[in-house]
Amino acid sequence: MTDALLDRLRAIVGAGHVRADQETREAYGVDALKRGHPADAVVWPADTAEVSAVARLCHETRTPLVPRGAGTGYTGGAVPTQGGVVISLARLNRILDIDEGNLLAVVEPHVVTGDLQDAVEAVGLFYPPDPASLRQSVIGGNVAECAGGPRAFKYGVTKQYVLGLEAVLPTGEIIRTGGKVVKNVVGYDLTHLLVGSEGTLAIITKVILRLIPKPPVQVTMRASFPSVRHAVNAVTGLIRARVIPAVLELIDGECLDAVAKNLHVRSLAPEGTAAILLLEVDGLAEQVAAEADRVEAACREAGSTEFLRAAGDAERQELWRVRREISLSLKVITPLKVNHDVVVPKARVPELFDLIEGLRARYRLRIPCFGHVGDGNIHVNIMLKPGDKAELRRARAAEEELFRGVIALEGSISGEHGIGFSKMKYLEWELTPETVDLMRRVKVAFDPHGILNPGKMFPG
């Protein structure tokens, strides 16, 4: 990073919005994965024109350029692998429009997901995608990773709500895809090509999102089970009964014990509980009451030992507290974990848990699990003792067997977190060489010099 290049960056975004000190470079060299490479410089553009100018400069000088949102990702997608410039979108943080008549919102990429949800719910509307990091993660990152969350079972994931985008290509060109209409079949669907592209094709600067009316009534429930198998059987029973809860989350006993130890609170799940389901149904009052009864019947038929319904918002928040505290609480087991977000077809979830149980036994590992069981997306956490090289080798072997097993179950090695650089070497396990080659050609079409987020997604 030459002084001349830094001066040109300062000329674009202002001297106060370019940093090249060691502390900043290192801070922007990692995300939630805690691995990466220091940036050479970090810039904070104010608008699309400045993003475009930065991209043109990096394209001209062949400087790696890495777009960054809130840095909450788990696969290294928003961190440099070769230095270069990290372009933070933090100043593009406005909700530009909540269009009640057309049921849509127009936002800049650094709007915090939870803040958007609060804003639209205040006028009786609803933005369903709800990643666990919704109070930290931002819309642009959610779009780049096609984030999901607990409500995906009923409402789908981010891509179902993106109508249009404004984005800057690595060459500096500004493109606009889609628009404010739900139906649009003019040309290739570039909008949904960019959704989930992990910042490797373009830098998102504006998003048009579809909204829906806010469900008037919501009921939250918790069912406790004597085993994970009983809980999974309840999910199967719900699907057979054609009940589609808005939320269907499974948390296993090891996670529950970690939360209890971390918070010194046992009331979040009865002692000895091997698994719980957190469930929500929403809609009109009459419909919700009937669905809640069917949910309880399915859970009790599957062997639920306790079933609770939240009487109000305070109780609802208390039931959800256990889910919000899991990630931090797992550090009670050990401070180091390998976190995977595998997904299988809903009907094959029992086989996935059989696979995980086999890994625990064969590799002598603690593997607490939780996740969005309604859509088959389970977070598998392989816990490691820092510095234990033998355990790390067993964990890597278990990780590979997990991925091969998930693919054999017609699933995917990532349902939410993406590939980044941490899962690159496994991409070709799931996709055919022809498919990967086509993806590489798409990348070249968008980014002829390979400067945008290099070292991500594709191995080699």
Side-chain angles (χ1 to χ4, degrees):
M1 182 61 59
T2 65
D3 289 341
L5 184 55
L6 286 171
D7 286 342
R8 293 180 70 182
L9 290 170
R10 293 184 185 106
I12 293 169
V13 302
H17 301 297
V18 178
R19 298 281 298 273
D21 59 282
Q22 184 174 344
E23 182 179 359
T24 300
R25 291 170 52 236
E26 290 181 354
Y28 283 79
V30 296
D31 60 7
L33 184 66
K34 305 301 183 188
R35 290 163 50 199
H37 185 288
D40 290 323
V42 182
V43 301
W44 289 265
D47 54 30
T48 302
E50 290 187 0
V51 173
S52 173
V54 171
R56 282 198 305 273
L57 174 59
C58 290
H59 178 75
E60 172 195 329
T61 58
R62 307 295 193 267
T63 303
L65 179 63
V66 180
R68 184 181 178 98
T72 58
Y74 277 103
T75 58
V79 301
T81 59
Q82 306 169 16
V85 174
V86 167
I87 184 166
S88 169
L89 284 305
R91 295 173 69 196
L92 282 73
N93 60 4
R94 296 174 299 163
I95 298 175
L96 300 172
D97 187 23
I98 297 174
D99 186 338
E100 298 178 51
N102 288 307
L103 295 177
L104 58 85
V106 183
V107 305
E108 291 182 324
H110 216 269
V111 171
V112 174
T113 309
D115 291 347
L116 174 65
Q117 291 179 341
D118 293 342
V120 301
E121 289 180 29
V123 295
L125 298 176
F126 192 43
Y127 177 66
D130 61 333
S133 59
L134 65 90
R135 292 297 167 185
Q136 294 83 38
S137 66
V138 295
I139 293 295
N142 291 175
V143 172
E145 298 291 341
C146 192
R151 290 198 285 247
F153 181 41
K154 179 175 181 178
Y155 289 107
V157 297
T158 299
K159 65 184 177 183
Q160 272 88 43
Y161 297 88
V162 180
L163 293 176
L165 297 170
E166 177 187 82
V168 175
L169 300 182
T171 54
E173 298 161 274
I174 300 168
I175 63 169
R176 293 171 181 85
T177 71
K180 293 187 175 183
V181 293
V182 174
K183 294 181 177 180
N184 183 338
V185 293
V186 177
Y188 295 129
D189 188 354
L190 296 178
T191 301
H192 289 99
L193 177 59
L194 294 180
V195 175
S197 62
E198 301 190 32
T200 63
L201 300 181
I203 304 165
I204 294 166
T205 54
K206 189 180 296 181
V207 187
I208 303 172
L209 295 168
R210 180 173 69 92
L211 306 175
I212 62 175
K214 182 181 178 182
V217 178
Q218 182 181 63
V219 174
T220 303
M221 297 158 280
R222 185 188 76 194
S224 304
F225 294 91
S227 73
V228 170
R229 172 61 69 174
H230 283 84
V232 172
N233 288 345
V235 175
T236 303
L238 284 168
I239 293 171
R240 286 176 179 164
R242 301 298 185 260
V243 178
I244 306 296
V247 172
L248 184 48
E249 293 281 288
L250 184 147
I251 305 169
D252 75 4
E254 193 153 23
C255 292
L256 297 173
D257 288 342
V259 171
K261 290 176 183 176
N262 186 42
L263 300 182
H264 307 289
V265 173
R266 188 71 255 184
S267 61
L268 297 181
E271 191 164 2
T273 301
I276 66 169
L277 292 179
L278 288 174
L279 310 103
E280 286 186 354
V281 291
D282 61 12
L284 300 174
E286 300 81 2
Q287 167 198 347
V288 167
E291 285 200 343
D293 288 343
R294 293 166 69 191
V295 166
E296 180 171 358
C299 289
R300 293 197 181 281
E301 184 177 345
S304 174
T305 54
E306 181 188 59
F307 191 90
L308 299 176
R309 298 191 196 194
D313 190 63
E315 286 190 12
R316 176 177 179 268
Q317 295 302 325
E318 186 66 8
L319 291 184
W320 271 108
R321 188 180 175 200
V322 65
R323 176 65 176 85
R324 291 194 297 267
E325 297 289 348
I326 290 174
S327 290
L328 286 176
S329 296
L330 287 178
K331 294 182 179 180
V332 170
I333 299 174
T334 181
L336 184 60
K337 68 177 179 179
V338 179
N339 176 14
H340 291 304
D341 62 321
V342 298
V343 59
V344 297
K346 291 186 282 288
R348 307 201 77 167
V349 167
E351 295 171 81
L352 172 60
F353 276 97
D354 288 343
L355 169 63
I356 294 166
E357 189 56 42
L359 297 178
R360 288 189 181 107
R362 282 191 295 281
Y363 295 101
R364 307 187 310 282
L365 294 168
R366 298 184 71 172
I367 310 179
C369 298
F370 63 93
H372 323 311
V373 68
D375 54 32
N377 182 196
I378 302 299
H379 294 273
V380 180
N381 301 273
I382 303 174
M383 310 304 296
L384 301 171
K385 292 188 286 292
D388 189 330
K389 294 182 180 179
E391 188 170 62
L392 177 60
R393 285 194 294 271
R394 297 200 306 274
R396 291 307 182 196
E399 175 182 66
E400 293 193 357
E401 189 172 331
L402 171 69
F403 289 161
R404 292 191 187 279
V406 164
I407 293 167
L409 292 172
E410 302 174 282
S412 175
I413 63 175
S414 180
E416 295 180 323
H417 296 166
I419 298 299
F421 67 74
S422 70
K423 292 186 179 180
M424 280 195 309
K425 68 178 182 178
Y426 307 116
L427 182 76
E428 292 174 345
W429 290 13
E430 183 171 326
L431 304 177
T432 66
E434 294 80 8
T435 302
V436 174
D437 184 59
L438 176 59
M439 291 181 176
R440 288 181 185 273
R441 297 201 303 271
V442 170
K443 167 68 171 170
V444 171
F446 276 78
D447 185 13
H449 296 320
I451 66 160
L452 189 62
N453 217 0
K456 308 294 171 64
M457 198 175 299
F458 303 112

